[in-house]
Amino acid sequence: MATELPLDAPMVETLAALREAEAACTRCPLHRNATLVVPGEGPDTARLMLVGEQPGDQEDLSGKPFVGPAGKLLDRAIAEAGIDRREVFVTNAVKHFKWEARGKRRLHKKPNAHEIERCRWWNDLERALVKPDLVVALGATAAASLLGRTVTLARTRGTALTARDGTALLVTVHPSYLLRLRGEADRTREYAAFVADLALAARRLRSAA
Ligand code: URA
């Protein structure tokens, strides 16, 4: 199904033009405290799109998605699932880092429904340009952005879903969830389940090729 664009969407025909438009975004207040916008990254021919929540501290400083600790874990899991990150379009539901100061540290704050909704139009444009065969939502925020409703990860994980625009969608956990797990056994089990979800995505793509 064709991706439906917002009626007032800017006329962008390339990812480079989209990045430029995103850099000027003031659609919600998050741009005020962020360093750089973090556009999605990857080839416009990517068949697989991964959508995270929002940039973290390192992503905010570099302007690139998933380059910090969660990104390192994601890279490892992607490779173990037999996927080449260079062929994947990696992005976030929200393009600016939302944080609060705790001493000298900038602590991640979850984006609210308004911020997710305001940023959705950039994600709709990304999908319109890349036209992925499959999107994987990493965590509940990305799933809510893509589906337009909140879902329980435990219940929807691994099932074939459809994003608001008709793109095939799978939902899995966010790599930061794995980083927060304390016990070694829990971490090992949950990491294996994460890799299995990504491997399922790879199989879906192969069978659709
Ligand atoms: N977490 C995300 O959701 N996205 C990033 O780019 C980095 C961390």
Side-chain angles (χ1 to χ4, degrees):
M1 190 191 292
T3 299
E4 263 180 46
L5 289 180
L7 289 176
D8 50 353
M11 292 299 292
V12 289
E13 282 169 14
T14 62
L15 288 173
L18 180 60
R19 278 197 297 275
E20 224 170 276
E22 285 169 325
C25 182
T26 55
R27 290 172 51 78
C28 86
L30 292 186
H31 68 97
R32 292 196 198 121
N33 291 329
T35 313
L36 293 171
V37 73
V38 181
E41 191 177 73
D44 60 7
T45 51
R47 296 185 60 218
L48 177 62
M49 182 179 281
L50 301 183
V51 184
E53 183 193 82
Q54 62 159 336
D57 186 74
Q58 294 188 32
E59 289 79 14
D60 170 76
L61 298 174
S62 67
K64 289 175 166 295
F66 282 105
V67 293
K72 301 259 175 335
L73 189 62
L74 178 63
D75 282 351
R76 207 178 108 204
I78 286 176
E80 279 184 39
I83 298 167
D84 184 345
R85 176 162 171 173
R86 289 168 306 181
E87 293 178 3
V88 178
F89 191 87
V90 180
T91 190
N92 283 297
V94 171
K95 310 289 186 220
H96 282 112
F97 180 32
K98 182 176 182 182
W99 57 278
E100 65 186 354
R102 190 72 58 81
K104 286 193 177 150
R105 294 176 60 211
R106 299 192 301 168
L107 291 192
H108 161 277
K109 271 189 91 178
K110 255 196 181 314
N112 62 35
H114 172 71
E115 290 148 358
I116 295 167
E117 165 59 26
R118 296 299 285 166
C119 224
R120 190 180 274 160
W121 101 329
W122 297 122
N123 292 285
D124 288 349
L125 285 164
E126 282 174 342
R127 289 199 309 289
L129 289 171
V130 177
K131 301 185 181 64
D133 291 329
L134 179 65
V135 181
V136 176
L138 304 172
T141 299
S145 169
L146 286 152
L147 288 164
R149 64 187 159 91
T150 54
V151 288
T152 314
L153 284 191
R155 224 176 294 147
T156 44
R157 190 173 185 177
T159 60
L161 301 169
T162 307
R164 286 158 48 256
D165 64 1
T167 310
L169 171 70
L170 285 176
V171 171
T172 185
V173 295
H174 191 284
S176 297
Y177 158 72
L178 304 172
L179 292 173
R180 285 195 302 271
L181 291 173
R182 289 277 148 255
E184 189 61 35
D186 284 352
R187 215 177 307 144
T188 304
R189 188 192 59 243
E190 289 299 311
Y191 176 75
F194 182 52
V195 173
D197 286 345
L198 294 170
L200 172 65
R203 280 202 304 283
R204 287 266 160 87
L205 282 175
R206 277 197 297 273
S207 64

